[in-house]
Amino acid sequence: MSEAPQSPTKDVLELTDVHVYYGAIHALKGVSLNVREKEIVTLIGANGAGKSTTLRAINGLNRARQGAIRFQGNDITTATPHTIVKNGIAQSPEGRRLFPRMSVTENLEMGAFQRTDRENFQSDMDRVFELFPRLHERRAQKAGTLSGGEQQMCAIGRALMARPKLLLLDEPSMGLAPIFVEKIFEIVLEINNQGTPVLLVEQNALMALDTAHRGYVMETGRITLEGPAAELKTNEAVQKAYLGLD
Ligand code: ATP
C-alpha cells in the first residue's frame, strides 16, 4: 500500500507524552502519537520496546501516570476499559482469548454484546463472513478446535462485531503460516477501506510498513522515528534493525 489517503486531517486518537509504569519499571517514557480518520498506523519495534503497553494504555488496562490520551476529542486517559470499549475502541487479538467451547458464530455474537443497536447485527455478521469465508465454513465449529490462523480471524471478526470506531491490532500475524499472514494483512486493508482506522502493532515490520499509511518506531519506551510508511521502509536504520537489510 503506497498511496496515502487524500487528506486525513482529523485525529481519531491522540497520545501526548504518555508515561506508563509497571511498579518501578518505566515502560513508556513519554509516548506521543496519533491516528487520523481513515488511516492505518503501525507501531513497530523490538521485543520489549513498549508496543503492547502502548495498546494497554489506550484500552485502559494500564493507566498512564502522566500524559493524555484523547479519542474522538474526548479525554480517555483515566476511563475504564469498559467505557473505552463502549466508546468504540476494539482490540484484537484480545488478552482474553476466544471462548473455546462456543461456536464461531457464538464468539462473533459475543463481540456485539455491548451494542445497543440490534438492527444491523445480521448485516455485520454477514460482513464478517464475507471478509472471512473460512469462518463461515466453520461457523458451527467450536472455536477451540480452529487452527491458529482461523482463531486469529475469529478474534478479529469478533472485534469487528463491536462496530469499532478504532481497531487496535496486537500482532495479528503472530504464529501464523505465511499464507495466513498475507490473508490477515489483506483483511486489515479491507477493513480500513471500509472506513475503520487501525492502529497496528507488529513484529513483521515489512508487512506492517507495506500495509500502513504511517508508522512509528519504538525503542525502550520511546518513539524514535515516525513518518509515512513508505519513507520508514527506505530508512537505513529501519532497514538494518527491523527489515533484516544491510
Ligand atoms: P513484545 O513484542 O515482546 O510484546 P512490546 O514492544 O510489546 O514487546 P511490552 O510488552 O509493552 O513491549 O513491554 C515493555 C516493557 O515493559 C518491557 O521492558 C517489559 O519487560 C515490561 N513489561 C511488560 N509487561 C509487564 C508486566 N506485566 N510487569 C512488569 N513489566 C512488564
Side-chain angles (χ1 to χ4, degrees):
M1 176 106 199
S2 52
E3 282 182 27
Q6 284 314 298
S7 51
T9 45
K10 214 168 150 196
D11 281 340
V12 175
L13 177 77
E14 187 182 20
L15 274 67
T16 311
D17 191 32
V18 168
H19 292 253
V20 171
Y21 293 76
Y22 293 104
I25 297 169
H26 195 173
L28 297 190
K29 300 168 185 159
V31 169
S32 297
L33 62 82
N34 64 339
V35 179
R36 302 176 196 134
E37 276 180 348
K38 301 185 184 159
E39 270 192 322
I40 302 177
V41 173
T42 188
L43 192 53
I44 60 174
N47 276 338
K51 306 180 298 297
S52 299
T53 304
T54 303
L55 294 188
R56 292 172 64 83
I58 298 165
N59 65 28
L61 293 173
N62 282 128
R63 276 283 157 81
R65 198 184 286 182
Q66 191 187 314
I69 304 176
R70 293 178 74 77
F71 176 59
Q72 295 189 315
N74 298 314
D75 191 328
I76 57 160
T77 320
T78 58
T80 62
H82 176 82
T83 307
I84 290 168
V85 170
K86 232 175 155 178
N87 282 348
I89 300 183
Q91 181 167 337
S92 172
E94 296 183 22
R96 278 166 290 141
R97 302 199 164 270
L98 297 170
F99 301 102
R101 296 209 191 94
M102 287 166 67
S103 70
V104 167
T105 303
E106 287 164 343
N107 269 280
L108 294 177
E109 284 168 4
M110 292 303 286
F113 84 102
Q114 289 266 20
R115 282 172 44 181
T116 47
D117 61 316
R118 303 303 291 177
E119 65 272 20
N120 298 315
F121 180 83
Q122 193 51 51
S123 60
D124 287 356
M125 190 74 101
D126 294 344
R127 174 184 168 224
V128 169
F129 284 142
E130 249 166 57
L131 284 169
F132 300 103
R134 188 72 158 241
L135 290 184
H136 188 254
E137 286 165 27
R138 317 231 152 175
R139 61 192 179 282
Q141 197 171 315
K142 287 195 170 44
T145 66
L146 298 173
S147 74
E150 290 161 354
Q151 292 197 12
Q152 206 83 303
M153 292 176 183
C154 193
I156 295 173
R158 187 174 65 174
L160 289 179
M161 286 302 291
R163 283 211 161 197
K165 296 179 183 129
L166 172 69
L167 181 62
L168 307 179
L169 290 173
D170 196 359
E171 311 242 0
S173 78
M174 189 158 65
L176 298 188
I179 183 165
F180 273 131
V181 172
E182 295 241 341
K183 181 78 192 152
I184 290 284
F185 281 101
E186 272 171 30
I187 282 165
V188 171
L189 272 177
E190 181 57 32
I191 290 166
N192 177 253
N193 281 337
Q194 293 182 10
T196 311
V198 178
L199 179 57
L200 168 69
V201 161
E202 257 299 329
Q203 290 270 349
N204 189 333
L206 186 58
M207 289 297 272
L209 291 175
D210 276 341
T211 307
H213 302 100
R214 288 191 301 120
Y216 293 87
V217 178
M218 266 193 109
E219 282 172 42
T220 57
R222 290 191 174 89
I223 304 286
T224 52
L225 268 176
E226 63 178 278
E231 277 176 27
L232 288 179
K233 214 179 134 185
T234 57
N235 179 290
E236 212 175 306
V238 172
Q239 292 196 338
K240 241 184 177 160
Y242 305 107
L243 303 179
L245 303 169
D246 276 318

